[in-house]
Structures are given as C-alpha cells and as structure tokens.
C-alpha cells in the first residue's frame, strides 16, 4: 500500500503470493456452479440461509464450511469425510498445474471487482505486511482452525486489498479478454468469472508488484488469525506457511464498505430503550427501513448514532451524553478510534449500559444483511442494532497505526463467493 510518509524501511518485505493447483467443481457433476456456491461462512444467515443453501444442491460448499453435526469434532470430521468423498468421486478436482487465478465479480449496478487468488505467505502483524483492522474472537479462530486441521484445506479465500502501481492490474485486464475457466451468476445477481494465469512472465509480473506492497485485511480476520495459528503449529517449511487469499488492487477496483449489524438475543427493545433513557437522545421513527437508514446516515454525520429495531418501529439513538463517553471509552487510543460508532457500541452500550458480553453467541449475533437482522429481532423478541458504515480511509489510517477496531466493525465487499476455487494442502 503505497502511501505518503510510509517509508520503504518500514516494510521489511512485501506480499509473497504463490501459484497453487486449485480444487474446482466439475460442472458436469453438479446441478450448476451457482447452486454449489455460498457466501463466506460468517455471512450465511443461520438457520434460514444455511437450510436454503443445503437444499440448493447436495454438493453445496456450505456442507464443508458450515458442517452440521451434534458436536464440534463430529462437524469437522463430517466436513473432512465429505471433502474426501467429493474428491474420490470427482465432484471436486485439482487443476492440472499450479496457477494464480484472476477472479471477477460484476453486478447489475455497475459494480466491477477484479483480483488475483493465490496462496500468500503468512506473516505476523508486527511485520507490517498484512494489516488487520479488527479484533477477533478466539472461539471463532479455534473453530476455524479445527475445521482446517480436519480437512487439511483452505475452503474459501479471504479478501485482502492493496493499492498497486498498475502493472499487475494490466495483466489482470489482459487476462479477462480470454475465455474464462468458469462463469456463473449467483442468486444475488452477481456475475462471477475465473481465469487461470500460468504464463511465467505474467506470474512474475504479478508477484513482482506484490513484493513491493502491503495489504489490508478487508474480510477474513478470523481466517487470517487461523492461518497464523496453524503456521505456528507446524515447523516450517510446510503447506501451512501459506493461506488462500483474494488480493484486490483498490486503486483500480474500489470496494464497497458496509456495516455489520448486531442482534441482541433476550433483550427486548423496550428494555434496551429504558436503559439508554437520559444517556442518548431517542427518537421513534415510524417509517420503512430505507427511510430509517437515511435518517441514521444523516445523524451519523454529526456524531455517534444507532438504529434499534425489533418492535415494529425504528428508534434512533444519537447525541450520547459526553460524560458517559468520557467514563466508558478507553483514553489510550487515537481520537479516530475513540469516536467510532463500533467503539461506542461495544465500550459504552454493550459493556456499560446493557451488560451484554460481545463474544457470547447466546447473547449477540453479528449479521451483515440489514433486513434479516430486523426480521430476526422481530421474530425472536430481541433487539436489532443497525450501524452506519465507517469510511474506508478511517479503516486504513487506523490499520497503518497498528490500531485495531472493535470486532465486526466493517463489511468490505463484494466478498468472494465460496466454492469457486478451494485449496487442498496435499495437492
């Protein structure tokens, strides 16, 4: 990430991306490529979205990334058995030679994203090569690590961004002029295409640019933390030294940044509002969801603001009491971090006002889909907390300072579809 004031000496080395033999579905052995894909594991809305994906095709990738069984160990063994069976039956097959993959996503609204999928040498945050911007939840890392150990595979790429000099992007754009390995349209309206890059000159050109760059984790903090843990467990050199990633040059292909919402189980909206009375300004909004989100966006321009939902209406929380913020928000972080909505939500509302543990699935869920968050709150009698997205430049600035944001603060996208290309460590 070339930025003014970021010296060459700060980055000891850049991104080391390696070709690999990807595992891909045989289109003749499945109903359709679209029917076997899934959003990333943490975006699947459970249980409804999970059941929908399972019924879409018996070979949907969700059976690997979110296996269902009575215990964690049974789930992981089930995923490993499923992967072995699909490989033996030819449902999934390895490409004939190692390559990098150019991956394109396009929607009907003019969104176009292109990047390169490969295996990236895993590094620690202190090395300044791959920059995290969010904290992680240790139980989630442990869960993903157990799944990867059992399957000995990277089942879905995480999303990294960098700001390149354009040389790799030129190779990408030349590559997409050729017929793709696969093309499919998923039910969300996104068109997906994938190409293999095997030419030694093109591979060297991509690797050369990346070797000068650092990347920001846009999506996949828990999987990156899992890669780091698994690398530490295995003496180097080993296949665990690398992890599957999609790298997008946002100088050429800017990403969208959206919010991740919270669903508070067991906290009715009336109780949530009673607890904030006198601490925030509260306004009831009897309007449709799009209008309520517009009101939230306007309020967020002036300061911290949240929308609560779950009782058939929307309630705007803004203008927090300055004394409350001074008492509850740590002072040992930059002002940009202290003023984040996610910081105020976690340090002030969840911890101090509502007394909800942020890492307990029994108390809180993190959901990307806005309407689904509201619907689940109304159905379950909980409270949906809708967030306004943070600006990308704020994320990058904090990451460069080595400051992580509260967990699940942002949703960069579009996210790569899971199931288009996988990596088995033994292939």
């Amino acid at each position: 990430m070339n930025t003014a004031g970021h010296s060459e000496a700060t980055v000891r080395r850049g991104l080391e991306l390696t070709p690999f033999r990807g595992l891909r579905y045989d289109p003749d052995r499945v109903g359709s490529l679209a029917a076997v894909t899934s959003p990333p594991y943490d975006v699947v809305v459970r249980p409804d979205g999970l059941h929908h994906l399972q019924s879409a095709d018996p070979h949907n990738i969700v059976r690997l990334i979110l296996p269902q069984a009575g215990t964690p160990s049974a789930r992981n063994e089930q995923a490993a058995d499923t992967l072995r069976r699909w490989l033996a039956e030819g449902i999934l097959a390895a490409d004939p030679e190692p390559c990098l993959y150019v991956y394109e996503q396009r929607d009907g609204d003019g969104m176009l994203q292109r990047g390169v999928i490969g295996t990236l040498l895993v590094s620690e945050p202190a090395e300044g090569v791959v920059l995290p911007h969010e904290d992680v939840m240790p139980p989630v890392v442990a869960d993903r690590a157990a799944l990867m150990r059992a399957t000995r595979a990277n089942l879905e790429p995480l999303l990294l961004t960098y700001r390149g000099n354009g040389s790799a992007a030129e190779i990408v754009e030349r590559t997409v002029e050729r017929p793709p390995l696969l093309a499919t349209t998923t039910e969300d309206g996104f068109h997906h295409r994938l190409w293999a890059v095997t030419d030694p000159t093109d591979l060297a050109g991509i690797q050369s640019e990346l070797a000068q760059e650092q990347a920001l984790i846009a999506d996949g903090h828990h999987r990156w933390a899992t890669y780091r843990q698994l690398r530490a467990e295995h003496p180097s050199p080993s296949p665990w030294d690398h992890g599957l990633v999609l790298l997008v040059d946002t100088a050429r292909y800017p990403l969208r940044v959206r919010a991740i919402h919270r669903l508070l189980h067991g906290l009715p909206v009336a109780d949530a509002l009673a607890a904030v009375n006198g601490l925030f300004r509260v306004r009831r909004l009897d309007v449709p969801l799009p209008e309520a989100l517009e009101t939230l966006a306007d309020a967020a321009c002036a300061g911290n603001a949240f929308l609560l939902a779950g009782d058939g209406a929307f309630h705007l929380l803004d203008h927090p009491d300055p004394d409350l913020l001074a008492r509850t928000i740590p002072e040992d972080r930059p002002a940009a971090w202290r003023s984040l909505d996610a910081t105020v939500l976690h340090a002030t509302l969840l911890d101090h006002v509502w007394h909800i543990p942020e890492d307990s699935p029994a108390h809180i869920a993190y959901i990307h889909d806005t309407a689904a968050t509201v619907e689940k709150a109304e159905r379950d009698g909980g409270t949906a907390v809708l967030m306004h997205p943070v600006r990308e430049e704020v994320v990058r600035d904090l990451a460069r300072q080595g400051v992580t944001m509260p967990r699940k603060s942002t949703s960069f996208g579009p996210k790569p579809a899971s199931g288009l290309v996988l990596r088995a460590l033994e292939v």
Side-chain angles (χ1 to χ4, degrees), residues 50-322:
L50 178 65
H51 295 155
H52 173 71
L53 291 164
Q54 287 176 327
S55 62
D57 189 285
H59 302 109
N60 188 284
I61 189 68
V62 78
R63 297 180 187 276
L64 299 182
I65 62 175
L66 288 173
Q68 300 298 295
T71 66
S73 60
R75 289 195 293 271
N76 295 328
E77 190 52 45
Q78 181 185 92
D81 288 343
T82 300
L83 178 57
R84 283 192 292 266
R85 186 174 72 253
W86 289 357
L87 288 168
E89 296 173 356
I91 304 299
L92 287 167
D95 281 329
E97 59 182 317
C99 58
L100 298 177
Y101 295 87
V102 168
Y103 175 46
E104 176 188 275
Q105 294 164 275
R106 185 191 299 267
D107 70 5
D109 298 325
M111 178 72 190
L112 173 63
Q113 179 172 292
R114 291 174 178 148
V116 179
I117 296 175
T119 64
L120 186 68
L121 183 65
V122 177
S123 59
E124 295 299 312
E127 297 177 68
V129 178
V130 175
L131 305 176
H133 70 267
E134 288 183 357
D135 292 331
V136 298
M137 293 174 270
V140 177
V141 176
D143 174 74
R144 291 294 101 183
L147 179 64
M148 288 189 203
R149 285 191 208 99
T151 58
R152 294 192 62 80
N154 300 151
L155 300 171
E156 45 186 347
L158 54 87
L159 176 61
L160 304 181
T161 72
Y162 72 102
R163 298 188 67 80
N165 61 29
S167 59
E170 290 174 7
I171 297 170
V172 166
E173 289 171 14
R174 189 169 68 247
T175 299
V176 301
E177 295 174 0
R178 306 196 315 256
L181 289 175
L182 65 83
T184 190
T185 302
T186 45
E187 64 180 5
D188 58 5
F190 268 92
H191 308 286
H192 307 262
R193 297 197 293 171
L194 192 76
W195 295 259
V197 179
T198 57
D199 179 79
T201 302
D202 286 345
L203 291 173
I206 293 171
Q207 291 171 316
S208 175
E209 178 182 282
L210 292 174
Q212 310 303 314
E213 302 295 339
Q214 60 180 172
L216 175 74
I217 301 176
D219 185 68
H221 282 81
H222 290 90
R223 281 167 284 166
W224 184 253
T226 300
Y227 291 169
R228 289 171 43 216
Q229 178 175 323
L230 293 172
R231 184 191 188 191
E233 293 174 2
H234 297 83
S236 186
S238 84
W240 299 102
D241 290 345
H242 293 77
L244 186 63
V245 304
L246 166 64
L247 276 158
V248 174
D249 180 356
T250 52
R252 188 69 61 98
Y253 300 106
L255 271 67
R256 292 172 175 159
V257 186
R258 290 180 171 151
I260 301 176
H261 309 296
R262 277 66 170 162
L263 175 61
L264 309 182
H265 305 300
L267 178 67
V269 174
D271 293 352
L273 292 172
V276 300
N277 185 42
L279 302 176
F280 283 73
R281 183 175 71 172
V282 180
R283 286 182 283 162
R284 180 186 174 101
L285 307 175
D286 289 300
V287 297
L289 176 58
E291 272 186 57
L293 291 174
E294 288 179 9
T295 304
L296 173 63
D298 291 340
C301 292
N304 301 117
F306 310 92
L307 270 183
L308 303 192
D311 62 350
F314 296 99
H315 307 270
L316 179 70
L317 274 57
D318 64 356
H319 293 198
D321 175 27

